[in-house]
Amino acid sequence: QEMSDAVKNGDFYNFVSYHFDEKDKTYHLIFRYYTTKYGLDYHDYRLLQHTKDIYIDDIFVFSSNQKLSETLKLYYLSSVPKKILNPLFKNSDFKYILMLKNFVDARSANQYQKAQQHLTILHKKLHKKDRLIAFLRLENARHISEESYFEAMDDILNNFYTDPTIQLTTKQYHYANKDYDEVEKCINSLKNYTNDPFLDFEKGNLFFAKKNYESAAIFYENMLQNFPAFHLPKFSLLVVYNHLQQFKKATKLLNVIVQTTTYNKAQLIAQVQKKLIAFSKSTEFKLWVKK
């Protein structure tokens, strides 16, 4: 419902691409979800065929690094009493389930340190190869400390780095470390996996962070061409033109913003004078104000 409401309010949910997975021996559909509140996400729908019917078997959510079935399993474990779970599983299986149940109980009580201890034990028992547990540790670590978060992320980078679907998560980690070369690798990996031109926005943001404004302008301009209803690149490009002192381009962009967004001319004048000092003092801007 939250996603449906977000799309109604101007956020994006779009089909991007499909591919055949040699491991699953089936097709996958990639959808992009972009919200101004949470940013970029992808949903990977796995298709299966039974006789003549084709159906969606599961959905992998990039931002949570979980299949929807795994997320539902955690919801289920959080509500079922342990005495009911015990008879349903073999001893070895129950130990695994019990540790997950203990994690869910501790997390529900906001006991993040205790929750992390349960996950760490399980993580070691599974030889650090279980993706779900690794990313649950990472998400939980955010609530403990920066040191705990970096430790959990380092563990993921060591064990799952070749998986392109983790790049959405690791990108923010590399941004935090100002390791822009690794950020670019993450974006390129996502681009190769999804074939999504919307990632030009991420490229623009990357070059903006590096203060390479010429390159940032190229990617933001691509976004204006390919996604004219998406307004954030327009304002980012306006800032870039201010840095580059390309004031003629900036005034043309102001006209585009007035025509395609809820901003009126008076609001834009006030924002430019407040935030884009060089542009506000230019002859081009002063002439635009008088028109």
Side-chain angles (χ1 to χ4, degrees):
Q1 185 60 52
E2 182 180 349
M3 189 169 71
S4 296
D5 291 342
V7 171
K8 289 178 183 177
N9 291 329
D11 291 329
F12 298 91
Y13 195 73
N14 304 100
F15 170 73
V16 176
S17 61
Y18 71 92
H19 65 273
F20 185 80
D21 190 309
E22 290 291 343
K23 184 178 179 181
D24 284 349
K25 299 299 180 184
T26 188
Y27 284 95
H28 288 247
L29 308 178
I30 307 296
F31 279 73
R32 176 202 324 113
Y33 179 38
Y34 185 88
T35 167
T36 52
K37 184 176 181 180
Y38 298 115
L40 183 64
D41 199 0
Y42 290 99
H43 297 167
D44 183 334
Y45 292 79
R46 186 172 70 174
L47 300 182
L48 292 183
Q49 184 169 5
H50 178 67
T51 62
K52 294 184 179 180
D53 295 325
I54 296 175
Y55 63 96
I56 294 169
D57 167 65
D58 214 338
I59 306 169
F60 183 83
V61 180
F62 280 40
S63 60
S64 66
N65 288 282
Q66 290 181 22
K67 296 178 181 177
L68 184 60
S69 59
E70 293 171 336
T71 304
L72 292 174
K73 179 172 69 175
L74 289 176
Y75 278 117
Y76 174 75
L77 289 173
S78 67
S79 61
V80 179
K82 295 174 186 175
K83 64 181 180 181
I84 295 177
L85 288 174
N86 192 7
L88 299 178
F89 299 95
K90 298 180 297 184
N91 286 338
S92 58
D93 291 336
F94 182 67
K95 287 181 180 179
Y96 173 86
I97 297 296
L98 183 60
M99 289 179 189
L100 269 179
K101 171 66 174 170
N102 289 338
F103 156 72
V104 171
D105 289 346
R107 179 62 189 267
S108 298
N110 295 326
Q111 297 174 340
Y112 299 110
Q113 193 70 53
K114 185 176 180 181
Q116 196 76 346
Q117 290 171 359
H118 289 301
L119 284 180
T120 299
I121 293 171
L122 184 55
H123 190 51
K124 290 178 180 177
K125 284 185 175 293
L126 297 174
H127 307 291
K128 300 185 178 183
K129 299 301 181 184
D130 189 284
R131 178 197 179 94
L132 171 62
I133 303 304
F135 279 94
L136 285 176
R137 286 182 74 241
L138 177 67
E139 197 280 329
N140 190 69
R142 299 177 193 273
H143 301 276
I144 300 173
S145 67
E146 187 177 84
E147 181 182 357
S148 182
Y149 167 76
F150 284 129
E151 186 271 328
M153 180 59 82
D154 285 338
D155 184 71
I156 285 173
L157 291 174
N158 289 331
N159 291 291
F160 301 98
Y161 191 71
T162 57
D163 186 342
T165 62
I166 75 165
Q167 305 306 321
L168 200 64
T169 301
T170 56
K171 176 171 64 70
Q172 295 307 119
Y173 169 79
H174 293 310
Y175 261 124
N177 289 327
K178 295 185 179 181
D179 192 344
Y180 297 127
D181 289 341
E182 290 298 322
V183 172
E184 187 166 13
K185 289 179 183 178
C186 290
I187 297 172
N188 289 338
S189 181
L190 280 170
K191 183 71 176 286
N192 290 336
Y193 187 80
T194 65
N195 196 30
D196 186 8
F198 193 89
L199 287 164
D200 279 348
F201 183 52
E202 297 290 335
K203 277 287 188 74
N205 293 340
L206 168 62
F207 285 111
F208 188 93
K210 294 169 67 173
K211 298 184 179 181
N212 183 343
Y213 300 118
E214 291 87 356
S215 295
I218 292 171
F219 288 105
Y220 288 143
E221 287 166 353
N222 288 345
M223 290 297 294
L224 263 63
Q225 292 295 319
N226 295 322
F227 300 92
F230 185 39
H231 302 316
L232 289 182
K234 299 171 187 175
F235 294 100
S236 298
L237 185 57
L238 195 61
V239 176
V240 166
Y241 286 154
N242 178 70
H243 282 293
L244 295 174
Q245 296 191 349
Q246 295 179 346
F247 302 135
K248 286 185 179 180
K249 288 185 176 181
T251 53
K252 290 181 180 179
L253 184 55
L254 287 177
N255 290 326
V256 173
I257 292 173
V258 169
Q259 294 166 6
T260 59
T261 74
T262 58
Y263 275 80
N264 58 43
K265 187 169 182 176
Q267 290 172 321
L268 281 179
I269 291 171
Q271 289 297 312
V272 170
Q273 290 174 338
K274 180 179 179 181
K275 298 179 179 179
L276 306 177
I277 305 302
F279 181 33
S280 70
K281 295 179 179 179
S282 69
T283 302
E284 291 83 353
F285 177 73
K286 291 176 181 178
L287 289 173
W288 182 82
V289 170
K290 293 178 181 178
K291 286 183 181 180

